[in-house]
C-alpha cells in the first residue's frame, strides 16, 4: 500500500509547490469567512488524485500494476485512501503557509484551518460517487463528470443555502431533518456525520472493487 | 513434473474476433516461441494468462495452479515484458524499481543492480529519457530480478534495432541455462526464434494451427521449388501453401521425405525458415 501511495506522490512531486501557492491564495482570499483551509483540503484531492489517475492512464500503467502480484482490491483501496492522504497533505501545506505567514508577521490576515466533520463527510460523499465511475470508465471518460460534480457542488450548495434562507423550506422531510440535527449536540452530529461518511465510503469501495475486478485491459 | 504453463481449450469472444479452444503446454527449461501475424490472438492469449482479460472458457495453469485462483502466488514467480513501456515515464529508473520491488516476495536488489550495470541503464534517469532499447532492457531487468521461473514476453523485440534485439536474445539464452526456468515469447519477427526457441506454437485467426518442437519442424518441413508443370490437383493437396508464378512454383510441405519420393530430383527441396512456415500456413493467397 505504501508503495502505491508513494508512486502517486512521486509522479507529481513538483505539483506540491503549486499546492503551497494555492494554499496561500485561498488563505488570503477567504480570510474574511475562514474558509481558506477547508477549501484547500477539499481542492487538494481534486487536483492530486486526478493528476495521479491521469498519469496512470497516460502511461497505461495499469498493465504493469495488474500484472504484478497485487490484488485488484488493493489498487482500489489505494485510490480511496489517497483521497484522504492528499486532503491531509493539503492541510499540512496550509498549516505551513499560515504558520510561516504568522512567523514573519505579514501584515495580511490569513484564515486558519478548522477540520469540520462536514468536510470529511463531503469528501466521502464526493469521492464515494466519483470513484466507482472512475473505476468503471477510467480517467479520460470521467473527467467531465468530475468537473461538473466539482463546480456543481460549490454552486449547488451555495445556491441551496441561499434558497433555504430566502424562501424557507416547505419540504416536511427537510424540515424534520433540520429539526433533528438542531436538537442534538455538536459532538453527536459530528459523530453521526463521520459514521455516515464511513458507511458511504465503504459501500462505494465495495462497488468499485466489484467493478474493477471485472474490468479488462 | 507438471508443465510450467498449460493452456487448455482457452476461449475468448469478441464481436469481430474469437480465440477458439487454444491449447498448448510448456515444460520447464525450454523457450517457446508463440508466433502469428498481428491480430492473430497472441496478445489476447498473453493477457488472458496474466489475467488482464477475463476468459470465456477453458483453463490456464501455471506451475500446475489455476492462474486466477492462485493469482498472487503464481504472479510472484512470473516475470513479464510487454511490447511497450507501460512504466510511469515521469519516474526515474530507481524510483520505479523501488515501487515494483516491494510487491515481490523474492526481489533481489543485487541482481537488479547487476543487470542495470550490465545494460548501462542510468539509474537516476527518468524513464521517458531512455531509448526504446533501454526501456526494454529495464523491463527485462525488472522481470529477471525476482527469481521468476516463467518469463512471459509479448513482442519484446518489436521496434528494436538489430543490436538491441540480439542482446535481448542473448540474455534469454543465458536465463534458460537454469533448467527450472522457461520462457514464453510471442513475436512476429520469427528470425528471433531461429536462434533460441525450443518449441513453436503458431496461432492464426484465434486458432492454434501448429504446435511442435522447432527441430521437428525444421527437420521435417521442406520448401519445395520446381516447374509448375509438375503440379496437378493431387500433388497440390500435399502442400500446406503454394506460390505459383510464370517461372515455376514454391511451396511448403510438412513431409519433405514424401516429396523426395514423389518428385525425386525434379524439384529442389530447401530447409524452410520459421518465417516460411508462418507465411505458408497463414497467407490466404498461398493456401492450397
Amino acid at each position: 500500500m505504501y508503495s502505491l501511495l508513494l508512486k502517486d506522490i512521486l509522479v507529481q512531486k513538483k505539483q506540491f509547490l503549486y499546492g503551497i501557492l494555492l494554499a496561500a491564495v485561498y488563505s488570503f482570499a477567504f480570510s474574511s469567512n475562514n474558509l481558506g483551509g477547508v477549501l484547500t483540503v477539499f481542492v487538494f484531492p481534486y487536483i492530486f488524485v486526478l493528476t495521479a489517475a491521469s498519469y496512470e492512464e497516460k502511461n497505461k500503467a495499469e498493465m504493469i500494476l495488474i500484472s504484478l502480484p497485487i490484488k485488484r482490491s488493493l489498487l482500489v483501496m489505494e485510490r480511496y485512501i489517497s483521497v484522504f492522504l492528499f486532503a491531509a497533505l493539503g492541510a499540512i501545506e496550509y498549516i505551513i503557509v499560515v504558520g510561516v505567514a504568522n512567523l514573519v508577521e505579514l501584515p495580511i490576515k490569513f484564515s486558519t484551518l478548522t477540520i469540520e466533520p462536514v468536510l470529511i463527510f463531503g469528501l466521502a460523499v464526493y469521492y464515494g460517487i466519483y470513484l466507482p465511475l472512475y473505476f468503471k470508465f477510467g480517467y479520460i471518460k470521467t473527467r467531465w463528470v468530475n468537473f461538473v460534480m466539482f463546480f456543481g457542488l460549490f454552486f449547488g450548495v451555495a445556491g441551496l443555502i441561499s434558497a433555504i434562507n430566502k424562501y424557507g423550506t416547505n419540504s416536511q422531510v427537510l424540515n424534520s431533518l433540520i429539526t433533528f440535527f438542531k436538537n442534538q449536540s455538536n459532538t453527536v452530529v459530528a459523530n453521526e456525520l463521520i459514521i455516515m461518511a464511513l458507511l458511504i465510503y465503504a459501500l462505494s469501495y465495495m462497488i468499485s472493487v466489484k467493478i474493477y475486478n471485472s474490468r479488462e485491459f | 513434473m507438471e508443465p510450467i504453463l498449460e493452456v487448455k481449450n482457452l476461449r475468448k469472444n469478441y464481436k469481430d474476433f474469437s480465440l477458439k479452444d487454444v491449447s498448448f503446454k510448456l515444460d520447464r527449461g525450454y523457450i517457446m516461441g508463440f508466433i502469428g501475424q498481428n491480430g492473430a490472438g497472441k496478445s489476447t492469449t498473453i493477457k488472458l494468462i496474466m489475467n488482464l482479460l477475463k476468459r470465456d472458457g477453458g483453463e490456464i495453469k501455471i506451475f500446475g495452479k489455476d492462474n486466477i485462483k492462485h493469482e498472487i502466488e503464481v504472479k510472484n514467480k512470473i516475470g513479464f515484458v510487454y511490447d511497450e513501456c507501460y512504466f510511469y515515464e515521469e519516474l526515474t529508473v530507481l524510483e520505479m524499481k523501488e515501487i515494483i520491488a516491494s510487491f515481490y516476495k523474492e526481489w533481489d536488489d543485487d541482481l537488479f543492480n547487476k543487470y542495470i550495470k550490465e545494460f548501462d541503464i542510468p539509474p537516476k534517469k527518468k524513464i521517458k529519457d531512455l531509448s526504446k532499447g533501454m526501456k526494454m532492457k529495464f523491463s527485462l531487468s525488472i522481470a529477471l530480478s525476482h527469481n521468476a521461473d516463467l518469463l512471459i514476453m509479448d513482442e519484446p523485440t518489436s521496434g528494436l534495432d538489430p543490436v538491441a534485439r540480439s542482446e535481448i536474445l542473448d540474455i534469454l539464452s543465458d536465463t534458460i541455462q537454469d533448467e527450472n526456468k522457461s520462457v514464453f515469447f510471442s513475436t512476429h519477427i520469427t528470425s528471433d526464434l531461429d536462434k533460441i526457441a525450443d518449441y513453436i506454437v503458431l496461432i492464426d485467426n484465434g486458432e492454434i494451427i501448429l504446435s511442435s518442437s522447432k527441430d521437428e519442424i525444421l527437420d521435417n518441413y521442406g520448401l519445395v521449388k520446381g516447374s509448375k508443370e509438375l503440379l496437378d490437383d493431387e500433388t497440390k493437396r500435399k502442400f500446406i501453401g503454394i506460390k505459383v508464378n510464370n517461372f515455376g512454383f514454391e511451396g511448403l510441405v510438412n513431409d519433405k521425405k514424401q516429396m523426395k519420393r514423389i518428385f525425386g530430383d525434379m524439384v529442389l527441396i530447401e530447409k524452410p525458415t520459421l518465417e516460411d512456415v508462418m507465411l505458408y500456413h497463414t497467407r490466404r493467397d498461398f493456401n492450397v
Side-chain angles (χ1 to χ4, degrees):
Chain A
M1 176 58 73
Y2 165 74
S3 302
L4 292 173
L5 290 167
L6 182 68
K7 75 166 167 44
D8 282 353
I9 292 172
L10 287 177
V11 289
Q12 50 186 334
K13 43 186 184 269
K14 277 188 194 155
Q15 194 121 280
F16 286 96
L17 290 174
Y18 299 115
I20 296 260
L21 192 67
L22 188 85
V25 169
Y26 279 176
S27 175
F28 175 66
F30 295 95
S31 58
S32 58
N33 52 16
N34 240 5
L35 274 177
V38 171
L39 271 175
T40 307
V41 171
F42 199 86
V43 167
F44 252 60
Y46 178 79
I47 296 171
F48 287 90
V49 171
L50 293 189
T51 307
S54 74
Y55 279 124
E56 192 165 298
E57 195 145 312
K58 185 195 103 187
N59 291 307
K60 296 187 193 161
E62 279 164 313
M63 286 283 285
I64 298 278
L65 295 173
I66 302 280
S67 301
L68 291 170
I70 311 176
K71 282 193 173 166
R72 289 192 187 197
S73 55
L74 193 73
L75 295 172
V76 174
M77 178 160 298
E78 186 268 339
R79 264 294 170 258
Y80 277 78
I81 290 177
S82 77
V83 169
F84 285 94
L85 172 77
F86 288 121
L89 289 173
I92 290 168
E93 286 207 1
Y94 190 83
I95 290 164
I96 291 172
V97 166
V98 175
V100 169
N102 284 338
L103 210 67
V104 296
E105 293 175 351
L106 283 182
I108 304 167
K109 188 175 175 257
F110 284 96
S111 47
T112 49
L113 172 68
T114 47
I115 300 289
E116 301 281 351
V118 72
L119 178 61
I120 294 168
F121 180 76
L123 283 169
V125 172
Y126 188 94
Y127 289 95
I129 294 169
Y130 172 68
L131 286 176
L133 293 169
Y134 161 75
F135 282 110
K136 174 79 182 167
F137 300 107
Y139 163 75
I140 298 279
K141 285 183 191 158
T142 53
R143 65 187 164 160
W144 289 107
V145 176
N146 198 14
F147 184 78
V148 170
M149 272 175 70
F150 188 76
F151 287 97
L153 178 80
F154 277 95
F155 294 116
V157 168
L160 191 70
I161 290 169
S162 67
I164 289 173
N165 285 343
K166 198 169 172 187
Y167 304 110
T169 166
N170 295 324
S171 161
Q172 215 160 7
V173 181
L174 206 60
N175 272 332
S176 52
L177 207 65
I178 290 168
T179 327
F180 174 74
F181 281 119
K182 268 186 179 165
N183 290 338
Q184 297 180 43
S185 73
N186 278 350
T187 325
V188 173
V189 173
N191 287 341
E192 281 166 358
L193 280 175
I194 299 286
I195 289 166
M196 273 198 283
L198 276 173
L199 286 176
I200 291 166
Y201 219 47
L203 181 69
S204 167
Y205 164 74
M206 285 188 278
I207 294 169
S208 291
V209 169
K210 202 165 164 39
I211 290 169
Y212 205 54
N213 271 337
S214 56
R215 180 119 170 249
E216 299 199 315
F217 295 91
Chain B
M1 196 187 269
E2 74 237 341
I4 202 160
L5 171 64
E6 189 175 15
V7 174
K8 248 195 243 170
N9 302 324
L10 185 61
R11 287 196 305 277
K12 176 75 185 168
N13 300 315
Y14 293 104
K15 263 184 211 156
D16 49 355
F17 173 78
S18 294
L19 216 56
K20 305 165 194 100
D21 289 323
V22 164
S23 301
F24 57 84
K25 64 178 180 181
L26 169 63
D27 287 321
R28 281 181 189 267
Y30 295 105
I31 297 182
M32 178 176 271
F34 190 41
I35 61 173
Q37 306 176 74
N38 289 332
K42 300 188 297 295
S43 292
T44 304
T45 307
I46 286 183
K47 283 182 172 182
L48 286 163
I49 294 171
M50 295 304 293
N51 198 20
L52 288 159
L53 293 176
K54 304 286 164 192
R55 63 189 180 224
D56 292 327
E59 256 186 295
I60 299 170
K61 283 189 173 171
I62 303 170
F63 319 118
K65 291 173 176 161
D66 185 89
N67 74 322
I68 296 171
K69 277 188 201 140
H70 299 90
E71 185 172 4
I72 305 298
E73 191 186 338
V74 297
K75 280 185 173 172
N76 251 305
K77 298 296 263 178
I78 294 178
F80 59 87
V81 177
Y82 294 141
D83 55 339
E84 276 178 50
C85 175
Y86 296 118
F87 296 114
Y88 286 91
E89 299 217 309
E90 297 73 22
L91 299 185
T92 65
V93 166
L94 277 186
E95 286 170 342
M96 193 71 237
K97 183 270 294 182
E98 281 301 327
I99 287 160
I100 290 177
S102 65
F103 296 107
Y104 287 109
K105 272 187 194 160
E106 293 183 52
W107 180 264
D108 186 340
D109 233 15
D110 293 338
L111 197 59
F112 176 79
N113 290 333
K114 191 193 100 173
Y115 279 121
I116 58 165
K117 209 170 165 189
E118 207 173 296
F119 297 155
D120 281 329
I121 302 171
K124 289 186 179 156
K125 216 168 186 177
K126 283 192 174 170
I127 294 171
K128 67 178 168 198
D129 297 325
L130 300 178
S131 68
K132 174 135 196 200
M134 283 282 191
K135 283 177 189 168
M136 205 43 86
K137 285 181 197 167
F138 171 58
S139 197
L140 195 58
S141 308
I142 295 271
L144 293 172
S145 298
H146 59 273
N147 200 17
D149 283 342
L150 174 62
L151 269 188
I152 293 185
M153 313 177 89
D154 189 10
E155 309 255 6
T157 51
S158 69
L160 296 186
D161 64 60
V163 179
R165 267 171 57 201
S166 162
E167 279 178 320
I168 285 182
L169 297 176
D170 286 345
I171 299 155
L172 289 184
S173 289
D174 287 347
T175 310
I176 221 70
Q177 300 303 320
D178 181 340
E179 286 178 0
N180 279 319
K181 298 188 189 298
S182 301
V183 179
F184 184 70
F185 182 144
S186 93
T187 183
H188 62 270
I189 310 169
T190 50
S191 58
D192 288 347
L193 300 172
D194 287 330
K195 287 187 206 162
I196 60 160
D198 301 297
Y199 289 93
I200 300 294
V201 173
L202 171 58
I203 187 167
D204 186 40
N205 198 25
E207 273 179 282
I208 301 294
I209 52 174
L210 173 68
S211 178
S212 180
S213 84
K214 185 184 76 183
D215 291 343
E216 226 169 86
I217 295 171
L218 298 182
D219 287 347
N220 296 327
Y221 276 62
L223 197 62
V224 184
K225 292 173 180 174
S227 152
K228 60 182 178 184
E229 284 73 34
L230 294 170
L231 294 175
D232 56 33
D233 284 349
E234 201 192 324
T235 49
K236 267 187 183 175
R237 274 199 289 273
K238 300 196 184 305
F239 287 84
I240 288 161
I242 201 160
K243 186 168 70 175
V244 183
N245 60 29
N246 289 336
F247 306 103
F249 77 88
E250 184 184 282
L252 186 80
V253 291
N254 57 13
D255 186 351
K256 64 181 175 195
K257 285 179 191 150
Q258 187 195 38
M259 278 290 124
K260 196 87 185 156
R261 282 197 300 275
I262 297 172
F263 294 117
D265 290 336
M266 288 187 291
V267 290
L268 181 68
I269 302 178
E270 293 174 350
K271 202 171 186 164
T273 60
L274 287 173
E275 185 166 332
D276 295 324
V277 174
M278 183 172 101
L279 286 181
Y280 280 96
H281 267 290
T282 57
R283 269 189 66 169
R284 307 283 172 261
D285 51 336
F286 286 3
N287 285 356
V288 183

